[in-house]
Each structure stands twice: as structure tokens, then as C-alpha cells.
Amino acid sequence: MTEPSKTPTTSWTPRIVAFFCNWCTYTAADLAGVSRMKHASNVRIIRLMCSGRVDPQFVLDALAKGADGVLIGGCHPNDCHYAEGNYKCLRRYELLQRMLADMGIESDRLRLEWISAAEGEKVKRVINEMVETVTRLGPLGIPQKFDAWDREMEDFAERIAAREAAAGGHAGHGTEPQTMEPAHV
Amino acid sequence: MKPIVPKKHEPVRIGYYICHCGTNIAAMVDVEAVAKYVATLPNVAVSRHYKYMCSDPGQELIQQDIREHRLNRIVVEACSPLLHEHTFRKATEAAGLNPFYCQMVNTREHNSWVHTDRAEATRKAMALAHAAIERVPHHKSLEVKKVPINPDVLIVGGGIAGIHAALTLANAGKMVYLVEREPTIGGHMAKFDKTYPTLDCAMCVLSPKMAAVGSHPNIHLWTYSEVAKVDGYVGNFQVTVRRKPRYIVEDLCTGCQECVAACVFKEPKFPDEFNLGLGKRKPVFLPFAQAIPPIVMIDPEVCLNFKRGKNPDGTHTVSDKCKKTCVQACGDRKAIDFKQTEETKNITVGTIVMATGFKIFDARRTPFFGYGIYPNVYNALEVERLINASGPTEGEIVLRNGQRPKKVAIVHCVGSRDENTNRWCSRVCCLYSLKLAHLIKEHTDAEVYNFYIDMRTPGKGMEEFYNRVAEEGMHLIRGKVADVYPDPNDGATGRVVVQAEDTLTNKILKIPVDMVVLSVGLEPHPEADNLRRLFNLSCSSEGWFLERHVKLAPVSTFTDGIFLAGCCQGPKDIPDSVAQAGAAAAEAMALIDKGHIEQEPNTAYILADECSGCKSCIPLCPYSAISFDESRQKAIINEALCKGCGTCVAACPSGSIVQNLFEDDEIFSEIEGLLAPVPA
């Protein structure tokens, strides 16, 4: 298996997907805009009504599709527009962090922040910090890893087929040789 | 006309529009390149860039394209959806397409305004566009849900803003609940003597309005009361109000004050709150002469008929140790009730106006001005009471030793425009300082020294007022006061020296004066943070309630149906507070008179065939909108209760809950589009 290059090339910059709740953090990002608070351009924001809507699958999917980090923004504790969606988000975040650790993904690639509608300055700070951290971590490159794994599986299948052919006929169960499905489509 | 809903088999035909927003977007994003790129994406039938998409011709462009090119999805890349989503949905609908086939991309607030590299910003604009292009094919036709609105209004705070909003709404025939935490309405304005720039007396203009509130058939006035709980949402808020005991039956008290005269305390002995402790009152008292409602109250902390101190639950216990001369004086009216307890009222209203006001800056936080240390240093509100004819000195400006001041210093910007205290300008202190200077001069003929940082007198008639007062002959010194200390050459009169640098002559001035007036700034109300939580509002970092849009929705909040009036939103003078109160009342009326609320159709529903009946979602819903159908072993969402947060959707292990407008497929495709490669 080939490791994706850990040393970022000069042209590489991270791509970060952000899930911001409509009421606090998305509004804060708007405020940062209205206040012309310049910050790194690597974060792309998806608006959800509440941080409680952030399905852990969204985070995994973003990483699988090539994001180098994911940022979640919600209302401060006690300030959730929907009473407690942010707490639900926090619970999922904690669990997800454990899962990411098991998968060998650095915890700094997923960040959860409480940013109120008045904290445009915090949006700027958090985005800049996150971009800096993820830049230091380098590309995550999961799509490339998937490709490598797929190639590995194909190689594996070919090797088995070759060995079977060399053994002259069916080995083992007497079933027809199967084509291996790629691990990721 | 029923909106067009594309048939299932109909191919998706997207119209994409990127707005220049003048140069707001176009200066940082190569809109032409983005439009060209988007034209190459799947399902895109039309891709254009235009100077101002929100203008009439911009909207017309969309509508024309929908008709000509049979578009069935619209993507507008422009400003924040919180600003113009409504506009483009309307435009989409006007061309006959269901408005929820329209998606906005925020490339101004989140892109062109916050980035500096044009190439990067252009690539980001492309990625954001791609996300929306991937998203819209999953959009569905949705209908706006209409729910009836309760026509009653709650107004929190009975200062001039609350009063004006209450009268405006009540005069329009709406039922108003006005809740005020103090025993009387009137707020800060009732404490002022004269008002700038016209120098008409504050109470002369305020008291008729207060009286009108007190007697208005459409206003329920609840003073000495606080909002304890707010549930529900626009059109249907359930509010709990605590009415604190004043130990007087409101309906029976006539305001004759015979009880006050009869009190066993022959002389007023306790600090009078309305006069900021400069005067004295009895345990039974009328807050001030023109109080509305004009009824007395008893202070259980000092009344002899109560045991000393509060119980742990905040109540007071009757001791029955007093002769109760007040009860005898009240006689058959029987308005005094020592056993009165807190009362809880539950009301339902459709809209709420917040008019909770401000607090003056506590000058003790800037000890170098000597407030609270030297008796002759006053804050401006105390001086308002001293000048006021109904104040503790009946309009005589006298020092605590009874002498008239001969020299007075007025220090502007106390606690304002200062990194160490409040950074903002209080907006009123220049003008009220000039007013006080004029009044002090008029009452005492004293020498008046105004120490200012900058003289800020914007507004109608204000600069003229400044010129007029300046010509009366007072000292205007441009310099920040650095220190106030006792005059070493003074015996025992309490004279102090004000030290400042005159920045126009570069001289250090040390001026001995008899009286110092601190023009304190305005701060958010100390309860603002609690109120914010209670009403689900946002505050600015300073602590003022946050308006929905600083220019275009200055009295709306992020919580639909709640509006702002007066200084709770930020420092402002009386004319502005009244104007804003009128605006808040009009906004509330616009909702009420429409008769119904249109709700964003972002509620969730359950795909019954896929629901495994695991019940994971049920405890997650903060609105108890999800119930369980035992017979079918399926969860059900009550659409009327669902507020559309999507928390249950994210939790469903079988993916059988769908949130309208934020479906899983929509989000996944958005992620895909965001991360798709864009041309370098």
C-alpha cells in the first residue's frame, strides 16, 4: 500500500468542510463577512438548522470525499435555538473522535466550536487556527487511500487467480473464481 | 395558479446565476469564469452572471429563463440566504415554479468579503456553486405551512419605548400585556428633568402617555412583575409572569396615600429608590408622585409588621408587631394585605416587544473620578433628580451640606470610549451634559466646566442646541479628566480639584470645584443575559440585544415574533427610542394583521416502511414531537410540534427520518460538490 505523501507540496492547501448551525455560527460567519474580517479561504460552509443535525456520517463522508478536516459550529451551551441540539452534537462529537482515533485519523482534523451570532471575530480565529493545524498535519488523502486499497485488492485477486491457474484448476471449494469488488466505489 | 412541480421523469434543468453585487462579489471573484465553469456541470441549462441579481431586472432574468428554458431548479450565488433567500424564492414562485426548488449560495459574506486572494476566492466560489448544483436535483416541492397567530402582544419593560409601543398597539385595537419589573412605569425618562434639544420637561410629555397606559382598556398593566418563563414560538408564545407582592390590593387602592401619612414612622427614613437614595421615604410609599399605577406599596424589608430579613425562598414573614396605623387609615377600602403572596399569571401572546432598557454605568468602577469617595461627586442621573422640581431638593441644586455650588465640573464619557470599561460611545452623554450645564447655570449661576473628549452632537436640532448652550458662556475644555482629589486649600466644604489636560492648549489644568457631575455612559441591563436566555435572543459582544440586520431589520431579532425597542438594543436618545418603539409595534402589527404565520417547511417526517421502531429518536426531541404508535411499532412525528432542528434525523440508525430542505441526500451531494476538483 502506498502512503499518500505526508510532506505537503507548496501548492497544497487543506480543504475543510464546515457544518454551521443556522442561528449562531452561520450568522456569526455572516457577521465576519459584513465586518470584512479577512481569514483563510480553505473552509467551505454547509448550513444546517442546528448542530444537532450533524450526522456523524456527514463528517465521515466529507473526509472520505477528500476533506482534510471538518469543523462543526453550534450555539453556546444553554443558547441552542432548539434548546439542546448542541448537546446532542457534543455527544456525537465525543464518540466520533474515538472512532476517528481508531481509524488513525488525528483528532485535530475534527473540531467542534461554540460560536454565537455575535462572535464574528471567533469565526475568523477558529478558521485560521484550524487551517493552520490541518496544514501542519498535511493532506489526509482518504480518496487516494481508497484507490490504493482498491489496487491492493485487485492485485490480491490477480495473485490468487494466477496461483490457481498455476495449480491447474480449482483450488479449495470448487466454486467459480470471483472478481473482487473494489472496497470503495 | 398552482406552482409547477416537475414530474419525476422530467430531466433536471438548472438555472445558475452569480451576482456581481456591484463590485462586492465581482471585485474578488471572477464571476465570468465561475459562470463558465458552472455551465460545464451536469444538469445546468443556463449559467449567467449579472450585476445585481436582487434587483427587479435580475429577478426578471430568472423568471424569463424559467419560462423560456423550462428550468426546474434555480441556484443563485450571491449574498447570505438569511438576507435574500426570500427574494429569490419569491421570484422563483412568481415564474410558476415551487419556491423550494431554489437554492442560494453565500459567496459574499462567506467568500468575497473575507478573502484577499482573487484566484482562491474564485475557486471557492466554484466549489460552493458545484455543491449547490449537486444539491438541487434532490430538492422537492414543499408547501409553506400556515398557522394562525394569536393577536395579543407582550411588551417587556415600561420605559418610554415600552410605553410608546404599548399605546401604538393598543390604539390599533390589539390587546397588550405590559410587564414592568419596577412598581411604576416611566423608566429612566421619568427621572429626567428637561430633555434636549427642546428643553421641554420630561414628565410634561411623559406623564400623559403613562396615564394613557394606566387607563387604556386594551392594556393589561402588570408592574412589579417579571417574566419567568417563555415557551412556544411566533404566533403562539406561552408566557409565565410572576407578580411580586406589593402587599397592596391593586384594585382596592385609590392612591389616596392616607396610609403613608398614618404610618408609625412619622418621618420618611429610608432611602428612596426613585430619587437614587438622595431622598427618603417611609416603609409604605408611592414610588413617585405621578407613578402609574398610582398605588402605594409596602417595603417588607423595613416595615415593622414584617420580620427582619428574607426567608430562604425570598418571601417575608408577617410579624404582626406593628400597630398597623396604615390599615386603620385605609379603613373600609381594605387595600392593605400583609398576607399577599407572589401571583403567577399565564398568558398566550403571538408577538413580543422587548423594551428592557439599560443601566447607567457605575462610576465606582472608575475610582479616580472619586464617585462614592467624595460626597460632592455625583452621577448625572442624581443631578437630574436634584434639578427636578419634584426631586428630593424640590429643584434646588444644593450639595449634601445644603450649600449651592459656585463652580461645577461636568465630566463627559465616564465609563464610555474607554478600553478599560466600555468601548462604545453612549450617544447621549455629550448632549445631556450640555443640557445639565445649561440647567445648572440657570438654577445656580455657577461657573460650569465641561470636560469632553470629542463633542458629538449629531441629529436634528442637536448641533444648534450645542451652539446655543455654548454661547451661554461656559467653559468647554477638550481633555479627559485624569484625577479628582480633595482641594488641599479647602477647609471642610468638600471642595475637590479636577485635573485634566487641555489638549487644545497642551496645559495641565487643576480646577477647584464645589461639585463634580459624572456623565455616565449607558450599559446593557444587568438582567439582559438572563432575558436573552429566557426569550432565546442573541446579544452583541457588549451585551445589547442583537437585531436581525443592523440596517434592514433593526427591530427584528433572530427569533421570529420578538422585536426590540429602545436602549435594550443599544444606547439611544428618547426620539430614537420612540421611533424604534413605533417600528417594533408596526412590525408586530404586520404579523398580527396578516392573521397567520408562514412556517419554513423544514420539519421532519418518518418513512414508516423503514422505521424499525427502535425509539432512539423519541427522547431526543426537545419539543416532544415524536410519539410511538404501539400498534404498528413505528415512531410518528407530529408536524405541528416539530421545529425542524433535525436532531432526530441525525440519530436515526435506519435512516428513516427525513428533514425537509435538509435531507440526507441533499447534504451528501452538497459535500460531494464542495470537494469535487475545480479548475486551477
Side-chain angles (χ1 to χ4, degrees):
Chain A
M1 170 178 171
T2 49
E3 273 294 312
S5 163
K6 273 283 174 191
T7 44
T9 58
T10 43
S11 66
W12 178 83
T13 51
R15 284 188 301 171
I16 295 166
V17 173
F19 297 97
F20 283 177
C21 84
N22 181 64
W23 303 99
C24 287
T25 314
Y26 193 88
T27 312
D30 277 3
L31 176 65
V34 173
S35 318
R36 313 296 200 277
M37 292 172 178
K38 307 294 180 200
H39 55 256
S41 60
N42 311 53
V43 173
R44 279 127 207 215
I45 300 165
I46 292 179
R47 181 172 71 106
L48 298 171
M49 293 312 285
C50 179
S51 55
R53 175 70 182 92
V54 180
D55 189 327
Q57 290 188 73
F58 294 166
V59 177
L60 295 174
D61 191 62
L63 297 175
K65 291 201 173 113
D68 300 294
V70 173
L71 172 62
I72 305 170
C75 306
H76 282 270
N78 273 329
D79 286 354
C80 178
H81 189 82
Y82 302 103
E84 51 198 25
N86 52 358
Y87 290 109
K88 307 289 163 28
C89 178
L90 176 63
R91 284 182 354 196
R92 288 172 194 148
Y93 166 82
E94 294 290 347
L95 283 170
L96 191 56
Q97 277 291 16
R98 279 197 236 167
M99 249 177 92
L100 292 181
D102 287 347
M103 292 152 86
I105 294 172
E106 299 90 339
S107 66
D108 284 349
R109 292 195 189 269
L110 174 62
R111 183 164 174 174
L112 171 64
E113 280 291 340
W114 309 135
I115 305 178
S116 83
E119 294 176 314
E121 185 68 39
K122 190 170 178 185
V123 170
K124 170 186 161 176
R125 177 171 61 77
V126 166
I127 286 182
N128 282 343
E129 281 174 10
M130 178 121 187
V131 169
E132 200 183 307
T133 313
V134 176
T135 306
R136 215 177 312 117
L137 289 172
L140 181 61
I142 290 196
Q144 291 86 327
K145 281 180 191 162
F146 279 137
D147 288 347
W149 290 333
D150 286 348
R151 272 200 303 280
E152 207 178 344
M153 292 302 277
E154 279 160 26
D155 283 353
F156 190 49
E158 274 167 28
R159 279 214 306 277
I160 292 175
R163 203 165 58 194
E164 281 169 359
H170 306 307
H173 310 295
T175 49
E176 288 298 306
Q178 288 176 346
T179 48
M180 289 284 209
E181 272 179 39
H184 180 256
V185 185
Chain B
M1 184 175 71
K2 211 157 165 55
I4 301 165
V5 177
K7 303 272 177 326
K8 272 240 163 77
H9 62 268
E10 234 178 280
V12 171
R13 295 177 61 80
I14 305 172
Y16 169 83
Y17 304 85
I18 182 163
C19 179
H20 297 206
C21 195
T23 55
N24 280 302
I25 294 168
M28 190 47 65
V29 172
D30 184 348
V31 286
E32 215 176 314
V34 178
K36 244 184 222 161
Y37 162 70
V38 172
T40 65
L41 297 177
N43 301 322
V44 176
V46 175
S47 176
R48 299 186 196 278
H49 58 94
Y50 187 73
K51 197 116 187 131
Y52 287 105
M53 282 311 298
C54 62
S55 66
D56 275 352
Q59 295 183 49
E60 184 51 41
L61 186 66
I62 297 177
Q63 291 167 10
Q64 221 174 331
D65 283 347
I66 291 176
R67 290 188 211 104
E68 270 176 31
H69 297 272
R70 290 175 289 108
L71 302 179
N72 50 27
R73 302 290 191 282
I74 298 297
V75 173
V76 183
E77 180 153 9
C79 51
S80 172
L82 303 183
L83 195 65
H84 269 314
E85 190 172 57
H86 188 70
T87 311
F88 294 114
R89 279 184 181 169
K90 279 261 175 265
T92 306
E93 192 174 24
L97 193 63
N98 183 287
F100 298 97
Y101 286 117
C102 172
Q103 171 76 10
M104 269 195 89
V105 178
N106 185 345
T107 210
R108 192 180 71 172
E109 280 83 345
H110 291 185
N111 189 4
S112 68
W113 273 352
V114 290
H115 301 322
T116 45
D117 182 329
R118 192 170 150 91
E120 278 297 315
T122 302
R123 283 159 58 85
K124 183 167 171 178
M126 288 175 179
L128 294 173
H130 198 155
I133 298 295
E134 291 290 338
R135 188 190 211 269
V136 283
H138 300 278
H139 279 213
K140 297 201 172 65
S141 165
L142 297 169
E143 267 185 41
V144 173
K145 200 171 61 174
K146 289 181 179 175
V147 289
I149 182 168
N150 183 310
D152 298 351
V153 187
L154 167 70
I155 296 177
V156 190
I160 180 59
I163 288 172
H164 187 75
L167 285 175
T168 308
L169 287 159
N171 287 339
K174 312 299 171 205
M175 194 56 80
V176 173
Y177 296 90
L178 179 56
V179 175
E180 164 62 49
R181 67 202 306 264
E182 299 297 330
T184 171
I185 56 169
H188 280 96
M189 187 177 171
K191 296 190 168 99
F192 299 160
D193 182 52
K194 300 265 188 332
T195 53
Y196 63 78
T198 47
L199 292 177
D200 45 358
C201 112
M203 275 315 281
C204 304
V205 286
L206 180 61
S207 64
K209 296 192 81 146
M210 289 170 62
V213 167
S215 60
H216 206 293
N218 289 345
I219 299 179
H220 295 274
L221 175 58
W222 290 342
T223 55
Y224 210 45
S225 304
E226 284 175 34
V227 175
K229 199 162 165 243
V230 182
D231 279 324
Y233 48 91
V234 56
N236 189 22
F237 291 105
Q238 287 93 40
V239 183
T240 308
V241 180
R242 292 194 302 123
R243 304 211 58 199
K244 295 176 278 187
R246 57 202 299 161
Y247 306 103
I248 300 291
V249 183
E250 260 184 55
D251 296 339
L252 301 180
C253 177
T254 59
C256 68
Q257 298 183 66
E258 280 173 31
C259 53
V260 179
C263 178
V264 291
F265 285 94
K266 289 289 166 248
E267 290 301 321
K269 201 182 150 192
F270 306 100
D272 167 7
E273 292 85 355
F274 188 79
N275 285 318
L276 301 126
L278 295 170
K280 300 266 190 270
R281 61 157 170 85
K282 293 185 178 182
V284 57
F285 64 102
L286 190 67
F288 72 105
Q290 292 129 304
I292 296 289
I295 53 175
V296 297
M297 66 176 288
I298 292 173
D299 178 359
E301 290 283 321
V302 293
C303 173
L304 292 183
N305 209 38
F306 288 93
K307 285 188 181 151
R308 289 290 76 88
K310 272 184 197 166
N311 298 326
D313 62 351
T315 59
H316 291 83
T317 311
V318 180
S319 69
D320 250 345
K321 291 250 171 72
C322 183
K323 282 191 284 181
K324 293 191 277 283
T325 43
C326 55
V327 177
Q328 289 159 23
C330 193
D332 288 343
R333 290 183 289 256
K334 291 193 172 63
I336 300 176
D337 175 11
F338 290 108
K339 299 240 156 48
Q340 200 174 53
T341 52
E342 187 175 281
E343 199 185 346
T344 307
K345 296 270 191 186
N346 292 307
I347 53 171
T348 303
V349 296
T351 46
I352 297 175
V353 176
M354 300 297 287
T356 51
F358 65 96
K359 168 183 159 288
I360 56 166
F361 173 77
D362 182 356
R364 274 177 290 234
R365 282 172 59 197
T366 45
F368 45 90
F369 291 132
Y371 182 79
I373 304 167
Y374 310 121
N376 293 336
V377 180
Y378 295 82
N379 72 36
L381 199 55
E382 290 168 338
V383 177
E384 293 276 0
R385 292 314 298 154
L386 289 180
I387 300 175
N388 195 293
S390 67
T393 56
E394 285 159 358
E396 283 288 304
I397 302 178
V398 289
L399 301 170
R400 290 189 212 262
N401 61 11
Q403 302 236 302
R404 271 191 178 194
K406 293 192 188 65
K407 282 180 160 190
V408 179
I410 301 180
V411 183
H412 293 218
C413 298
V414 172
S416 305
R417 306 180 66 198
D418 188 335
E419 293 281 325
N420 301 311
T421 49
N422 297 328
R423 298 170 68 144
W424 58 89
C425 166
S426 73
R427 258 194 69 181
V428 292
C429 97
C430 277
L431 282 152
Y432 83 57
S433 299
L434 290 169
K435 174 196 77 179
L436 288 177
H438 163 86
L439 294 173
I440 291 169
K441 206 161 170 56
E442 187 183 73
H443 282 240
T444 63
D445 205 27
E447 286 274 291
V448 181
Y449 300 86
N450 270 280
F451 294 91
Y452 65 94
I453 307 177
D454 295 294
M455 191 58 76
R456 295 180 167 179
T457 57
K460 190 176 176 185
M462 302 303 184
E463 185 71 8
E464 292 87 335
F465 178 71
Y466 162 64
N467 286 328
R468 172 186 157 188
V469 176
E471 278 166 18
E472 286 173 2
M474 64 186 59
H475 305 277
L476 290 166
I477 301 156
R478 186 174 180 275
K480 227 175 154 176
V481 171
D483 201 6
V484 174
Y485 55 90
D487 186 352
N489 305 321
D490 172 54
T493 63
R495 198 187 303 152
V496 290
V497 176
V498 175
Q499 183 177 320
E501 185 191 348
D502 184 336
T503 55
L504 298 179
T505 59
N506 283 346
K507 275 195 191 126
I508 302 287
L509 303 177
K510 293 177 183 175
I511 300 172
V513 294
D514 304 310
M515 180 186 205
V516 177
V517 181
L518 301 181
S519 297
V520 285
L522 274 50
E523 281 184 342
H525 197 282
E527 282 288 309
D529 200 50
N530 291 333
L531 290 166
R532 174 180 71 84
R533 292 232 159 88
L534 203 56
F535 289 89
N536 206 345
L537 301 173
S538 296
C539 278
S540 67
S541 54
E542 297 87 9
W544 307 106
F545 291 147
L546 200 63
E547 63 283 344
R548 194 175 196 120
H549 191 277
V550 66
K551 280 164 279 191
L552 302 178
V555 299
S556 305
T557 65
F558 288 99
T559 304
D560 287 338
I562 303 189
F563 303 99
L564 304 176
C567 287
C568 63
Q569 181 258 348
K572 53 182 67 66
D573 59 12
I574 294 167
D576 287 2
S577 294
V578 171
Q580 208 186 18
E587 292 277 1
M589 215 125 59
L591 273 180
I592 298 166
D593 285 357
K594 196 173 180 188
H596 62 262
I597 310 288
E598 290 181 356
Q599 280 184 335
E600 181 90 347
N602 56 14
T603 49
Y605 61 92
I606 289 178
L607 302 168
D609 287 348
E610 321 220 332
C611 174
S612 66
C614 73
K615 302 187 190 174
S616 319
C617 53
I618 292 170
L620 290 178
C621 181
Y623 306 102
S624 310
I626 314 179
S627 57
F628 193 68
D629 180 347
E630 290 292 344
S631 64
R632 297 173 61 215
Q633 292 290 301
K634 307 276 182 198
I636 304 167
I637 295 178
N638 179 346
E639 204 199 340
L641 294 177
C642 174
K643 303 282 176 298
C645 65
T647 302
C648 58
V649 189
C652 178
S654 56
S656 54
I657 312 183
V658 181
Q659 183 187 11
N660 286 323
L661 289 173
F662 295 92
E663 293 185 18
D664 280 350
D665 286 346
E666 291 171 348
I667 310 295
F668 282 127
S669 51
E670 213 174 334
I671 296 171
E672 173 140 22
L674 271 188
L675 295 167
V678 287

